[in-house]
Amino acid sequence: MDISVVIPLLNEEESLSELEAWIRRVMNENGFSYQIVFVDDGSTDGSWHIIQNLAKENANIRGIRFRRNYGKSAALNEAFKIVEGDVVITMDADLQDSPDEIPELFRMIKEDGFDLVSGWKKKRYDSKLAKNIPSKFYNWSTRKMTGIKLHDFNCGLKAYRNEVVKSIEVYGEMHRYIPVMANAAGFTHIGEKIVHHQKRKYGESKFGMSRFIRGYLDLMTISFISKFGKRPMHLFGGLGSLMFLIGFIITAWLTYQKYIHSVFGMTSRPLFYIAILAMILGVQSFFTGFIAELIQSNTPNKKTYGIAEKI
């Protein structure tokens, strides 16, 4: 199979039929073998009913329905488990991402050799206050922290080599940082393509400031995990050793002052308690590293979600 198109959605009943017809036309015109995986993330409208009807008409459609809303990351994670295409393309269901971009994204993966190609909505039709300005600041800070030179980390339109999506696990709000996770997993050939962004035709945006705040917390998490997730002892053990060494040197110096220069009253000096505190924190941090190593090595990497139906 050439392409798997993954579409997470929440209450998008108005756009699904139009989106499916658009994707089908693009695939047929280019002679691609394909599948479309719709993931209904706990919709309360008629989205799942429409997906069922589309699947009856088009054998290339598969669907997953969650019992409740788990979020975009969970939707992508479950879809990535069943995709079969050599190239996996993700896009939003609101018709703001254009399926006409699929052939070029496919070519960049297959011919140019990219592991991942991220869309860049250079010209946006979103509200500047609600999305544009926060997104620019978010993307700038993400580039600085991760070193990955992408202009639009949060663009839903992305293309992946199949091996990439099979090698990562997406959870929480981590869908924004799939390029970071892919890079940490060794898929370093990451590209970017300017894509056409369209005005929302149906429904309302699901974006909120709470997602912006969570995004930064997740950025700190993914930065930590990508650097120390497999070796937590390198962080906690290093910090612990440094703090213990500082405390020990101060204690040794105070001891020298007392017994060689007869300077008494050491226990009344703040430096004495700083030294004791540094050594205690150092030991605790060091053993935290050991515990983290044990947890990391014995915890299976599996997430489960309440899937109600599959087709």
Side-chain angles (χ1 to χ4, degrees):
M1 183 179 294
D2 294 321
I3 298 174
S4 294
V5 181
V6 175
I7 305 174
L9 61 108
L10 175 65
N11 297 331
E12 300 284 2
E13 61 179 355
E14 296 172 305
S15 63
L16 293 179
S17 296
E18 187 174 339
L19 178 59
E20 185 275 336
W22 193 352
I23 295 173
R24 176 160 36 89
R25 175 182 61 78
V26 171
M27 297 299 184
N28 292 338
E29 287 177 354
N30 291 273
F32 292 134
S33 56
Y34 73 98
Q35 67 177 171
I36 304 173
V37 182
F38 288 105
V39 186
D40 183 354
D41 187 23
S43 294
T44 56
D45 62 359
S47 295
W48 181 247
H49 179 69
I50 292 173
I51 293 170
Q52 289 176 311
N53 290 337
L54 291 173
K56 293 176 183 177
E57 300 170 2
N58 186 349
N60 297 311
I61 290 178
R62 299 195 61 182
I64 300 173
R65 180 189 177 202
F66 288 164
R67 295 186 182 277
R68 65 172 179 84
N69 177 245
Y70 284 96
K72 190 173 184 178
S73 293
L76 291 175
N77 194 65
E78 291 301 314
F80 288 165
K81 293 178 182 178
I82 66 171
V83 291
E84 302 172 20
D86 291 339
V87 176
V88 179
I89 293 177
T90 60
M91 63 172 52
D92 294 334
D94 54 13
L95 295 175
Q96 290 190 279
D97 295 333
S98 172
D100 289 332
E101 305 283 356
I102 290 175
E104 178 61 15
L105 290 170
F106 178 81
R107 188 199 66 77
M108 292 177 72
I109 297 291
K110 298 294 285 186
E111 297 181 15
D112 294 345
F114 286 105
D115 296 315
L116 184 158
V117 178
S118 180
W120 173 17
K121 299 172 183 175
K122 193 171 184 179
K123 182 179 180 181
R124 301 182 65 107
Y125 291 96
D126 301 309
S127 165
K128 286 188 176 182
L129 182 60
K131 264 195 170 183
N132 282 2
I133 296 175
S135 290
K136 286 181 179 180
F137 180 71
Y138 153 78
N139 285 308
W140 173 83
S141 58
T142 304
R143 285 195 298 272
K144 293 297 183 181
M145 290 187 67
T146 64
I148 298 176
K149 307 302 182 182
L150 294 178
H151 290 86
D152 192 356
F153 283 86
N154 202 31
C155 180
L157 186 57
K158 288 183 173 68
Y160 310 85
R161 195 178 300 281
N162 187 283
E163 295 86 345
V164 175
V165 302
K166 299 296 186 183
S167 301
I168 60 176
E169 183 180 25
V170 193
Y171 59 93
E173 297 283 336
M174 296 298 183
H175 59 274
R176 302 176 179 89
Y177 306 109
I178 292 180
V180 182
M181 290 186 282
N183 184 71
F187 299 99
T188 58
H189 199 186
I190 298 173
E192 188 171 52
K193 181 185 182 301
I194 296 175
V195 296
H196 181 61
H197 185 230
Q198 304 181 112
K199 293 182 180 180
R200 176 177 270 273
K201 191 173 181 180
Y202 305 108
E204 297 179 352
S205 172
K206 312 298 189 299
F207 180 85
M209 287 308 295
S210 61
R211 291 172 60 187
F212 181 69
I213 296 170
R214 292 197 302 268
Y216 273 101
L217 297 177
D218 288 328
L219 175 59
M220 295 173 65
T221 300
I222 199 65
S223 297
F224 173 82
I225 291 175
S226 62
K227 293 178 181 178
F228 303 105
K230 298 297 183 182
R231 43 191 174 88
M233 188 60 173
H234 288 201
L235 174 65
F236 294 107
L239 287 175
S241 299
L242 179 62
M243 285 190 291
F244 184 86
L245 181 61
I246 291 172
F248 180 81
I249 290 174
I250 295 174
T251 303
W253 182 77
L254 292 175
T255 303
Y256 172 81
Q257 290 283 308
K258 178 177 180 180
Y259 290 103
I260 301 300
H261 297 286
S262 301
V263 179
F264 297 97
M266 292 295 181
T267 56
S268 63
R269 298 174 65 177
L271 195 59
F272 172 81
Y273 295 100
I274 292 175
I276 298 298
L277 179 62
M279 288 193 292
I280 292 173
L281 291 177
V283 171
Q284 289 180 332
S285 181
F286 194 85
F287 279 101
T288 298
F290 274 125
I291 295 171
E293 288 281 354
L294 290 172
I295 294 173
Q296 189 277 327
S297 62
N298 290 284
T299 302
N301 252 342
K302 293 183 179 179
K303 300 282 181 182
T304 57
Y305 302 99
I307 298 175
E309 299 178 66
K310 286 186 178 182
I311 54 176

